[in-house]
Amino acid sequence: MEPIMADVCADFGATLREFSGEDDHVHLLIKYPPTMQLSKLVNSLKGVSSRRLRQQYPLGTHREQLWSPSYFAASCGGAPLEIIKQYVQQQRRPD
């Protein structure tokens, strides 16, 4: 999933800095231009990853959707990047 997310970010002129997560969600640290609409990036990340993963693997989810329609985003401007990277790295990687 990480290479898929990195490709989508690159298509938007953004950079995937860190990737990790849990069994049911992911944590992404993304550097993106201030003019970018975050909702469009998130929708593309979810849509493209869902399509590509379903093409490669039989995904047994409890619903027909891979991703929840919701997401959480937070700005970390001003926080030391290394601290944010450590937080993301400390999360379990999704299978």
Side-chain angles (χ1 to χ4, degrees), residues 4 6 11 14-16 19 22 24 29 33 43 47 53 56 62-63 68 89 91:
I4 295 170
D11 289 345
T15 305
L16 180 62
F19 173 89
E22 305 286 330
D24 61 351
L29 177 59
N43 286 337
L53 289 172
Q56 294 178 9
H62 66 289
R63 296 185 182 148
S68 162
Q89 290 169 350
Q91 307 305 307

Side-chain angles (χ1 to χ4, degrees), residues 20-80:
S20 197
E22 305 286 330
D23 294 338
D24 61 351
H25 66 277
V26 293
H27 295 255
L28 308 173
L29 177 59
I30 299 172
K31 180 179 180 183
Y32 61 94
T35 56
M36 177 184 300
Q37 288 184 338
L38 185 58
S39 61
K40 288 186 178 184
L41 175 60
V42 171
N43 286 337
S44 189
L45 286 165
K46 288 180 172 187
V48 172
S49 63
S50 179
R51 261 190 318 279
R52 289 190 190 171
L53 289 172
R54 288 180 188 279
Q55 289 170 350
Q56 294 178 9
Y57 306 102
L59 299 175
T61 60
H62 66 289
R63 296 185 182 148
E64 294 300 315
Q65 301 168 332
L66 178 63
W67 297 111
S68 162
S70 61
Y71 65 91
F72 171 78
S75 171
C76 59

